[in-house]
Amino acid sequence: MGQVAMSFSVQELIPVLPEIVLLIGASVVLLVDLFAPGKGRASTYLWSLIALAATALALVYSFQGPQIVLGGHYQSDALSLVLKLGMVIGLACVLLYGRSYLAARDLLSGEFFTLSLFALLGMMIIASGGSLLSLYLGLETLSLSLYALVGFDRRSVASSEAAIKYFILGALASGMLLYGISILYGVTGTLNLVVLQGEIAAVLTDTDARQFSMLLGLGVVFVVVGAAFKLGAAPFHMWLPDIYEGSPTAVTNILGTVSKLAAIALVLRLFADGLQPLLLQWQPMMMMLAVMSLAIGNIVAIAQTNIKRMLAYSAISHMGFVVLGVLAGTAEGYSASLFYMLTYALTGLAAFGMIMILSREGFEADKLDDYKGLGQRSPVLALIMMVVMFSMAGVPPTVGFFAKLAVIEAVMAQGHTWIAIVAVLFSVIGAFYYLRMVKLMFFDDVEDPSPIEAAWDERVVISLNGLAILALGIFPGGLLAVCSQVF
Amino acid sequence: MNSYPLLSLAIWLPIVGGLLVLLLGSEARVALSRWMALAISAATLLLTLPLYCQFDSTTAAMQFVELAPWVERFSVNYHLGIDGLSLPLILLTSFIGVLVVISSWTNIANRLSGYLGAALIMEGLMIGVFAALDAVLFYIFWEAMLIPMFLIIGIWGGPNRVYATIKFFLYTFLGSVLLLIALIYLYLQSGSFSILDYHQLAISADVQTLLFFAFFAAFAVKIPMWPVHTWLPDAHVEAPTGGSVILAAIMLKMGGYGFLRFSLPITPDASQEWAGLMIGLSLVAVIYVGAVALVQTDMKKLIAYSSISHMGFVTLGIFLFSPLGVEGGIAQMVSHGFISAAMFLCVGVIYDRMHSRDIADYGGVVNTMPLFAALMMFFVMANSGLPGTSGFIGEFLVILAAFEASFWIALGLASSLVLGAAYNLWMYRRVIFGAIANDKVAALTDINGREKLVLVTLAVAVLALGLMPNPLFDVMHASVDALLDHVSQGKL
């Protein structure tokens, strides 16, 4: 460690600038909120958006190509840049969608903004994680903020229950991950992902170290379990529906979209960077995860009557696709997974945003029946929701189609045709519950004719969000190219 | 060669126009929606006419080609072009498109702008299906079309519309995803998504068989072949008249087109190996489904089963691998496009007045609607394959081709003509002739000017194609010969 301290220079802090800016921003928001007048929290809200804008600017302007700094614990590369931009933009959308929702429930307090910003900080650290340690630290920063956010509505029993469930299961998963990390460290003697990759390759080729390669396999099992939990892939998905349902929708939006980007960052850093040589060990495990996620997610979602639970199971099935791309074990596969997750986050933002727009004081709009006749109440919102649903089902011309195409192509390129067939067959089953949403909105009659009160900014954001899903479905080339250049 | 991107215009004009109709239309401005939709569909028809006039029927090469890179990550191109196989279907689509708009003038009670918008968008997407030469582009048009159709049946359909439309969507989606897997496999083998590259790609016999059945899953469901036809009667019965017309007249043809564009040229050896199965299934469709049509009590269901039976001629003709059979199959597709559209419109005419599709509710319609009865007589005859109408051409050629292959196949086919005449005429007798069945029939008024216009136009088309089929055959000779040449060479 002495060496690390000696080689430190201020120059090294430039790639870390976005995190520094965000940390300062979050602290400013914390302070501003202390002295903010009234209950409107307009200033906290504005300062949070300013903090996000500053972070985005810092991201773009401090980027100087791939760099590994802070003793190898922090790496800044194209992957981290893309992910972080996605996270920042995503969180900004979450805040925009969430403001009036939170205000109507008397939840618009400073904690929401500061905790969200700290969660974002954790996510950004994961995206730039250069070592097992920094990945773990980022993950804990994220998780602790999320635990608090989930239980943030203290008058709601469901919210508190969800928080406790999330905390206990999350801590268990973190423990698993940490145990796996400790085994990897024990065998290789390093936490640095780049060094780890070389050490593992050396252990595997060394015929005298057979027992060590078995130990590495054991470590990988725990790492996969921990990552699968954070990703929300079956059979480690049990927490997801309850927590999606119990949390305030604004928090579900973070869990369901932005934090998924952190999960894919964790998975890509761990498996694409560090554990790549152990591909043959984790590939079969991931195949099981993928198939189970696709099966459980798509089938159980059909039985749901609550849209947040339905979207939770839908998320599980989408994680099946993401895992599919990762298990291909190629640059194509990783970039396909990245593309899938980015576009899934975009789609999820609109879905949860819609729930918040349709909700009002004392009405959550989280039952499927609440969507009956939406096509008559508000044709534009219903059209947007329809685009979201078709994108999740993977029907062109929405972006969900190209996401699935990319993943299936990557998997089939590795010769796993059967698993691609399983995936598409389950997505046909999945299409049913997305179609049911469209049916409720367009084919059924209005049950609750009360007018929809949506602020102009929410309408603008959700329209842009819906258009982006369509536009990326028709012109996916740019984002696909970005995702493939990252690897 | 023409320098205007005619194909792109023919695809995007109705799509963009349909979106405009959707956005500008409201309940208060119904007339605007109607006239806009009519103008857009008429302009599309005019745009597709030069395709025919400037078409070079001496070559099998793709014409009016447009090629531009689109998604470079997967080397997907925006690649359009037509040959003699697709040109007739594109003209059919734009022609039927206009009639759909006119026929929906007054019989859609609510959200007319949405209906017309969806119909126009679908028209553009279907032209796209027939013009796409890139597999991903094709797949996108092929799948995207499900969305407007899903909405048309679901929003404007009959009482059991939700069941019918979800069944329709899932059935066709299931077939299509297997097609997608096959296309991705071909991409990985050839490094390109160009359908024309796939035609030249060498593929082993085993893989050809797998690919053939993946294609089969998509196209057999669409056309539809027995035993995966069960979505069609449901969808037809519940769809509004215009939706039924689009389904029967154009969407089914996409299945037949798929066999010609994908199955035959990409997997020629597997196609020949499994031709027996295809012919067997087609015969079942022609005879058994024809018999099923006989016992229907619902007019739309009867026409739906008759459609499946007629599509059996198409698949049978295609898998005989003779010029007569394939050209007969294509002629049958075009002719069925006219006749089934007319039949559904006829049912629509009386349904609008009586709100019943049940044959038992009718009787003696000729007394109150003589002109309508005459026109429907003509279409019923055409549907039974009367010489002089277009219905005769396709069936006759396919039966001739079948005689070349085997007497028994031809016998089976020919026997279906008797069945066809039976179910058509029996239905006609019960609906049109006899004493006036009830007060509602007594109160019927004959067809108005707009209905007359639509039905007479179709009657002229049916008659023209029946008497002078050569303009249709001339454009497809070269392409069909090249296709069959390619199939007989094989890939092994």
Side-chain angles (χ1 to χ4, degrees), chain A residues 56-89:
Chain A
L57 286 177
L59 267 173
V60 175
Y61 287 104
S62 73
F63 186 71
Q64 300 166 321
Q67 269 182 308
I68 298 183
V69 295
L70 301 183
H73 289 292
Y74 185 99
Q75 54 178 327
S76 165
D77 55 11
L79 173 63
S80 68
L81 180 67
V82 171
L83 279 168
K84 285 179 192 173
L85 276 175
M87 291 165 183
V88 171
I89 295 169

Side-chain angles (χ1 to χ4, degrees), chain A residues 376 396 401 409 413 435 443 474, chain B residues 70 111 139 143 154 161 187:
Chain A
Q376 285 158 31
F401 165 69
E409 190 265 341
L435 290 181
F443 308 165
I474 298 170
Chain B
W70 179 26
R111 292 189 267 179
Y139 189 81
E143 283 279 271
R161 58 188 196 274
Y187 163 72

Side-chain angles (χ1 to χ4, degrees), chain A residues 1 32 36 79 92 97 133 182 201 221 288 314 322 338 378 389 480:
Chain A
M1 294 306 270
V32 166
L79 173 63
Y97 283 133
L133 189 63
S182 71
V221 172
M288 284 166 60
S314 138
V322 171
L338 179 64
S378 167
M389 288 297 131
L480 271 168

Side-chain angles (χ1 to χ4, degrees), chain B residues 242-266:
Chain B
S244 296
V245 169
I246 297 175
L247 257 177
I250 313 168
M251 204 181 271
L252 305 191
K253 292 3 174 232
M254 288 165 44
Y257 174 75
F259 280 122
L260 291 171
R261 182 66 79 219
F262 287 83
S263 303
L264 258 55
I266 297 177

Side-chain angles (χ1 to χ4, degrees), chain A residues 298-343:
Chain A
N298 279 321
I299 291 171
V300 183
I302 295 174
Q304 303 306 315
T305 54
N306 180 302
I307 187 171
K308 281 158 83 176
R309 284 188 86 84
M310 187 192 94
L311 287 173
Y313 283 104
S314 138
I316 294 167
S317 74
H318 286 291
M319 291 313 113
F321 265 98
V322 171
V323 171
L324 271 187
V326 174
L327 72 82
T330 55
E332 285 190 302
Y334 300 141
S335 70
S337 282
L338 179 64
F339 181 79
Y340 198 102
M341 200 59 119
L342 284 170
T343 54

Side-chain angles (χ1 to χ4, degrees), chain A residues 17 60 159 170 232 234 258 303 330 335 344 355 375 386:
Chain A
L17 203 59
V60 175
S159 173
V258 195
T330 55
S335 70
Y344 171 72
I355 301 177
M386 183 180 86

Side-chain angles (χ1 to χ4, degrees), chain B residues 153-235:
Chain B
I153 302 177
I155 298 179
W156 293 278
N160 200 18
R161 58 188 196 274
V162 172
Y163 168 78
T165 196
I166 290 185
K167 184 174 179 181
F168 154 75
F169 192 102
L170 290 182
Y171 237 102
T172 41
F173 195 46
L174 178 65
S176 310
V177 293
L178 296 175
L179 169 69
L180 180 65
I181 297 276
L183 296 179
I184 294 176
Y185 178 85
L186 287 166
Y187 163 72
L188 291 169
Q189 296 302 309
S190 67
S192 124
F193 268 118
S194 162
I195 297 173
L196 299 180
D197 287 354
Y198 296 168
H199 290 186
Q200 306 306 328
L201 185 69
I203 309 170
S204 72
D206 295 341
V207 175
Q208 276 199 32
T209 303
L210 292 174
L211 288 174
F212 178 79
F213 280 102
F215 291 146
F216 176 78
F219 303 137
V221 167
K222 204 77 161 197
I223 198 166
M225 291 176 82
W226 184 87
V228 286
H229 64 283
T230 63
W231 62 270
L232 184 75
D234 287 316

